[in-house]
């Protein structure tokens, strides 16, 4: 709960909440499935009711559940990439976002200016 009110965004709250969100989506899709089946049988056409029960309902639920899962996995992958990139920057001696900058605003390794052009005589902008 504390992470929800972190206005500096020092930690990610999404990995902690993604399980709850996925469970809520699954419950919502189960209720949608029941609604589809009940509505189909309410038309008093038994064939349409069984068609919705066996084919339409499961197909709709599986498609939306797969889309929700892919979206959540993409979100988690992006966050893990950001965390791993921050760790690599920290290991290289740089500043991880959310931490205080190094003294003197120097580059990792010591120089106070950007490195010179590594491509030789190519014109610099």
């Amino acid at each position: 709960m504390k992470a929800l009110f972190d206005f500096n965004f020092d930690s990610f709250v999404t990995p902690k909440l993604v399980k709850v969100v996925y469970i809520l989506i699954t419950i919502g899709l189960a209720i949608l499935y029941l609604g589809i089946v009940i509505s189909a049988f309410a038309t008093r056409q038994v064939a349409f009711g069984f068609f919705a029960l066996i084919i339409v309902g499961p197909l709709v639920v599986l498609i939306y559940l797969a889309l929700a899962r892919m979206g959540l996995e993409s979100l988690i992958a992006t966050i893990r990439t950001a965390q791993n990139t921050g760790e690599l920057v920290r290991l290289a001696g740089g500043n991880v976002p959310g931490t205080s900058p190094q003294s003197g605003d120097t580059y990792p390794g010591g120089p106070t200016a950007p490195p010179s052009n590594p491509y030789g005589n190519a014109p610099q902008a």
Side-chain angles (χ1 to χ4, degrees):
M1 187 60 105
K2 181 182 173 186
L4 286 175
F5 298 103
D6 176 19
F7 294 108
N8 291 327
F9 292 92
D10 291 331
S11 64
F12 293 106
V13 72
T14 305
K16 298 170 187 139
L17 293 178
V18 74
K19 293 176 188 176
V20 175
V21 170
Y22 189 66
I23 290 170
L24 291 175
I25 289 171
T26 304
I27 291 170
L29 287 172
I31 293 170
L32 175 71
Y33 174 70
L34 289 174
I36 290 171
V37 171
I38 290 170
S39 297
F41 278 111
T43 62
R44 304 252 186 225
Q45 295 179 3
V46 178
F48 183 63
F50 280 112
F51 180 71
L53 177 70
I54 296 170
I55 296 175
V56 175
L59 189 62
V60 168
V61 169
L62 286 176
I63 288 172
Y64 277 104
L65 194 61
L67 289 173
R69 178 73 186 214
M70 287 185 280
L72 292 172
E73 284 179 359
S74 174
L75 191 61
I76 291 297
T78 302
I79 290 170
R80 286 188 182 151
T81 300
Q83 290 171 335
N84 291 338
T85 302
E87 181 65 15
L88 288 172
V89 167
R90 186 191 67 75
L91 289 173
N95 295 326
V96 178
T99 62
S100 61
Q102 293 177 349
S103 61
D105 291 324
T106 61
Y107 285 87
T112 57
S116 63
N117 184 353
Y119 300 108
N121 296 331
Q124 293 183 357

